Amino acid sequence: MYHTLNSLHKLGMVVMAFSLTLVFPFVLSILIDDGAARYFVMPAVGAFVFGLLLTVLCFPFRGALRRREGILVVFLSWICLAFIGSLPIYFAEQLLQEDFGIAKAVFEGVSGLTTTGASVINEVERLPISVNIWRHSLLWFGGMGILLLAVAILPLFNVGGREVMMSEMPGPLKDERLTPRIASTAKTLYGIYFVASVLCLIAYRVAGLNWFDAWCHAASTMALGGFSSFNASFQSIDNVAADAVAVVFMLFAGINFATHFKVLRNRSLRLYAYCPEALPFLKLVLGSGLIISGILYFNGNYATWFEALRYGIFNTVSVATTTGFANVDYLTWPFVIPVYMLALGSFASSGGSTGGGIKLIRILLVFRRIRVEMLKLLHPHGLFPVRFKTTVVSDSVLLSVMTFLALYMMTLMVVFALLALGGADPISASSAAVALVANIGPAIGSVGPMSNYAHFNDFQLWVSSAAMLVGRLELLTAFVIFTPHFWRR
């Protein structure tokens, strides 16, 4: 009980801090007079009071966070912040859509904070500017939360090759967990994230977008989200320069931020070559984009190689990095292409990036393990350790990765079954399960890149919200909360 109250004390502080972020869109709404200021007042005041009550009532039980308390704080924070963040959208959309209920609002909030980018809003252009900016800011805040999750919580589970991942993290992370030194590490990564976001914003502005659209798409790009200020995403922008900006920064955000830190600290691009994921990630994503572009050109989908390259590269990078932007309806392409892109989005992003999915490092570990098993068939008495660069990966790490992949597959099957039970057709249900758990956003079928999830019923929306949440928390962080052992002393 003491540990739970300590977690609630920390949760209260998180909620109070988050409530202050609502001040910016509130002030902006007043300045531009878009009539939406009242949508931010109640959520901000309510969240602050709720957080204050938790902090004051649980103050006697405060203390340093340990493993269980940290996990509980993360889990409860993601739920609370998603709900609070959804309230301004709920109030604004209720005036525009009579059928916009709390299930849709929470879906939108969870989608934003988990950087999934799936939407249930049919006409985003009608939203007040301040509400639309807040909607995209949720993505940006979610990206910051993901970095903290990557450096402070997920290493506790040892489900992604901790020994390998730690070799890519800045110094404090190798030795400390949930300590002020971890906070220092997080601040460093936040600094890189902030500076890159500003550069992305400026690049979009130079490419021809106004400041409003530039911020919306910069926030989505750096968080690898997918929200857009246009219903048709980049198809409405139709700007080659903006496409290029998006591709560059999506690739940047898809690489481990700790690797970016090491490159900047040592002022050497060579360090990207020493990262176990960076070059494989770039080769896989860009190579896939080139192959898809070639298929589109020779299949006659586009008259020129430039067009095929533009649309092939952009959409492949977008889906592979779990961003979810689209500058064309790629469901009109040969069916195997969007299926392959969706599969790519399930694992291509690097650990320590703002992308979702299984993460490339786990897949690389699995392939190395498969290679070792083949070698053992030929040389039964040989010793073939699984290596990443100079790091030998232990069998316990490999077993934990296999366990994670098994749990991931089971989660996909359960989400698919529940969505199909709710009435979705098999293609839409299966692809949506992949897109939601991997935090990609758009899928195939009725939830493709030029449509959204607005037609889902409340049951499907709640299932989808849960799928996005457990996917972003990388399954175990969410599922462990519901085990009896978690609550035992």
Side-chain angles (χ1 to χ4, degrees), residues 193-253:
Y193 183 69
F194 178 81
V195 171
S197 298
V198 172
L199 293 176
C200 185
L201 169 68
I202 295 171
Y204 275 128
R205 183 69 184 93
V206 171
L209 277 65
N210 59 44
W211 284 114
F212 165 66
D213 292 327
W215 162 247
C216 290
H217 291 90
S220 288
T221 302
M222 286 308 304
L224 297 179
F227 281 166
S228 174
S229 51
F230 302 100
N231 269 352
S233 190
F234 271 69
Q235 189 177 47
S236 294
I237 298 175
D238 194 20
N239 183 318
V240 176
D243 290 353
V245 170
V247 167
V248 169
F249 282 94
M250 284 189 290
L251 290 172
F252 178 88

Side-chain angles (χ1 to χ4, degrees), residues 263-303:
V263 168
L264 291 172
R265 182 185 60 185
N266 294 281
R267 299 179 182 178
S268 174
L269 293 175
R270 292 181 181 178
L271 291 174
Y272 283 119
Y274 293 103
C275 174
E277 292 177 289
L279 290 184
F281 163 74
L282 293 173
K283 290 176 182 178
L284 175 64
V285 175
L286 291 177
S288 296
L290 288 173
I291 292 171
I292 289 174
S293 299
I295 293 173
L296 293 174
Y297 176 71
F298 290 110
N299 192 57
N301 290 82
Y302 297 101

Side-chain angles (χ1 to χ4, degrees), residues 154 157-165 347 358-370 386 388 393-410 474-476:
L154 294 179
F157 286 92
N158 195 28
V159 294
R162 179 178 182 275
E163 288 83 352
V164 178
M165 290 297 296
F347 67 85
I358 296 170
K359 299 296 189 299
L360 183 59
I361 194 166
R362 293 190 178 105
I363 301 300
L364 293 175
L365 282 170
V366 169
F367 275 106
R368 278 165 171 75
R369 181 62 182 179
I370 292 172
V386 177
F388 255 124
V393 183
S394 67
D395 287 340
S396 62
V397 170
L398 292 170
L399 179 61
S400 67
V401 170
M402 298 295 185
T403 303
F404 175 86
L405 291 177
L407 182 60
Y408 197 92
M409 294 301 109
M410 287 188 287
E474 300 215 7
L475 308 185
L476 287 177

Side-chain angles (χ1 to χ4, degrees), residues 86-420:
S86 69
L87 291 177
I89 302 170
Y90 172 72
F91 295 138
E93 271 298 293
Q94 264 207 322
L95 300 179
L96 300 176
Q97 299 183 44
E98 293 181 0
D99 64 339
F100 196 86
I102 191 66
K104 287 186 175 180
V106 171
F107 177 97
E108 197 80 12
V110 171
S111 179
L113 207 62
T114 60
T115 72
T116 305
S119 183
V120 289
I121 299 176
N122 287 319
E123 297 182 58
V124 295
E125 291 93 341
R126 292 199 303 167
L127 282 174
I129 290 177
S130 59
V131 175
N132 220 337
I133 286 180
W134 170 249
R135 178 171 164 266
H136 289 81
S137 297
L138 277 178
L139 281 175
W140 195 76
F141 292 134
M144 295 181 68
I146 291 162
L147 294 181
L148 179 60
L149 188 72
V151 302
I153 301 297
L154 294 179
L156 300 177
F157 286 92
N158 195 28
V159 294
R162 179 178 182 275
E163 288 83 352
V164 178
M165 290 297 296
M166 293 305 98
S167 69
E168 290 306 309
M169 293 296 184
L173 188 59
K174 297 179 182 179
D175 306 311
E176 303 291 336
R177 300 178 184 177
L178 297 173
T179 68
R181 295 182 70 187
I182 285 293
S184 176
T185 301
K187 288 177 183 177
T188 301
L189 300 187
Y190 288 167
I192 297 172
Y193 183 69
F194 178 81
V195 171
S197 298
V198 172
L199 293 176
C200 185
L201 169 68
I202 295 171
Y204 275 128
R205 183 69 184 93
V206 171
L209 277 65
N210 59 44
W211 284 114
F212 165 66
D213 292 327
W215 162 247
C216 290
H217 291 90
S220 288
T221 302
M222 286 308 304
L224 297 179
F227 281 166
S228 174
S229 51
F230 302 100
N231 269 352
S233 190
F234 271 69
Q235 189 177 47
S236 294
I237 298 175
D238 194 20
N239 183 318
V240 176
D243 290 353
V245 170
V247 167
V248 169
F249 282 94
M250 284 189 290
L251 290 172
F252 178 88
I255 295 174
N256 192 334
F257 272 73
T259 302
H260 294 316
F261 169 76
K262 293 176 72 174
V263 168
L264 291 172
R265 182 185 60 185
N266 294 281
R267 299 179 182 178
S268 174
L269 293 175
R270 292 181 181 178
L271 291 174
Y272 283 119
Y274 293 103
C275 174
E277 292 177 289
L279 290 184
F281 163 74
L282 293 173
K283 290 176 182 178
L284 175 64
V285 175
L286 291 177
S288 296
L290 288 173
I291 292 171
I292 289 174
S293 299
I295 293 173
L296 293 174
Y297 176 71
F298 290 110
N299 192 57
N301 290 82
Y302 297 101
T304 66
W305 171 247
F306 175 78
E307 280 187 305
L309 191 65
R310 173 190 175 186
Y311 295 116
I313 292 289
F314 179 92
N315 291 282
T316 301
V317 171
S318 176
V319 178
T321 57
T322 74
T323 309
F325 288 144
N327 61 358
V328 71
D329 185 3
Y330 50 73
L331 294 188
T332 61
W333 297 351
F335 186 69
V336 67
I337 293 179
V339 171
Y340 173 75
M341 288 164 53
L342 194 62
L344 199 61
S346 298
F347 67 85
S349 294
S350 302
S353 72
T354 55
I358 296 170
K359 299 296 189 299
L360 183 59
I361 194 166
R362 293 190 178 105
I363 301 300
L364 293 175
L365 282 170
V366 169
F367 275 106
R368 278 165 171 75
R369 181 62 182 179
I370 292 172
R371 176 180 175 274
V372 165
E373 291 301 319
M374 290 181 176
L375 289 174
K376 284 184 177 181
L377 285 175
L378 299 175
H379 308 283
H381 302 292
L383 295 176
F384 305 101
V386 177
R387 293 180 179 273
F388 255 124
K389 303 298 182 181
T390 59
T391 303
V392 176
V393 183
S394 67
D395 287 340
S396 62
V397 170
L398 292 170
L399 179 61
S400 67
V401 170
M402 298 295 185
T403 303
F404 175 86
L405 291 177
L407 182 60
Y408 197 92
M409 294 301 109
M410 287 188 287
T411 302
L412 290 180
M413 288 188 288
V414 170
V415 174
F416 160 68
L418 291 174
L419 292 178

